[in-house]
Amino acid sequence: MNSVGEACTDLKREYDQCFNRWFAEKFLKGDRSGDPCTETFRKYQRCVQKAIKEKDIPIDGVEFMGPNKDKPES
C-alpha cells in the first residue's frame, strides 16, 4: 500500500520492513528491548504530516499514533 504522500512511499516501505523484521525476529521471541525503527517512523511521520498539510486534508479529531503521539506542526 502506498502512502498518503507519494514522496513518503519509500519511507513507509522502509519503516514497514524494519518493523516487520523487528516484530518477527525480536518481539515474538520475547525480546522487547527497544525499538530500532523509531527514527525511521519519525521520518515517515513527518513526511506524512507534510503531505496532509499540502493536500489540505482535514484532520480535526484524529488521534495520532507513534512514540510521542505528535500532532502535525501547523
Side-chain angles (χ1 to χ4, degrees):
M1 178 195 292
N2 289 336
S3 180
V4 67
E6 192 174 316
C8 306
T9 298
D10 286 343
L11 284 171
K12 179 187 185 308
R13 289 190 182 123
E14 183 181 342
Y15 172 72
D16 286 347
Q17 288 176 343
C18 181
F19 176 83
N20 290 336
R21 186 172 41 254
W22 168 80
F23 188 76
E25 296 174 7
K26 302 286 185 176
F27 185 82
L28 290 178
K29 295 178 180 176
D31 182 355
R32 290 165 173 78
S33 60
D35 176 0
C37 308
T38 300
E39 188 53 38
T40 304
F41 176 81
R42 287 185 179 140
K43 287 178 191 175
Y44 172 57
Q45 184 182 47
R46 285 190 297 269
C47 187
V48 168
Q49 289 170 349
K50 181 179 177 191
I52 287 171
K53 187 175 181 180
E54 288 173 354
K55 293 181 179 198
D56 255 352
I57 298 172
I59 56 171
D60 293 335
V62 175
E63 300 243 351
F64 290 89
M65 297 173 52
N68 296 323
K69 296 184 180 181
D70 295 332
K71 290 194 176 181
E73 297 172 9
S74 298

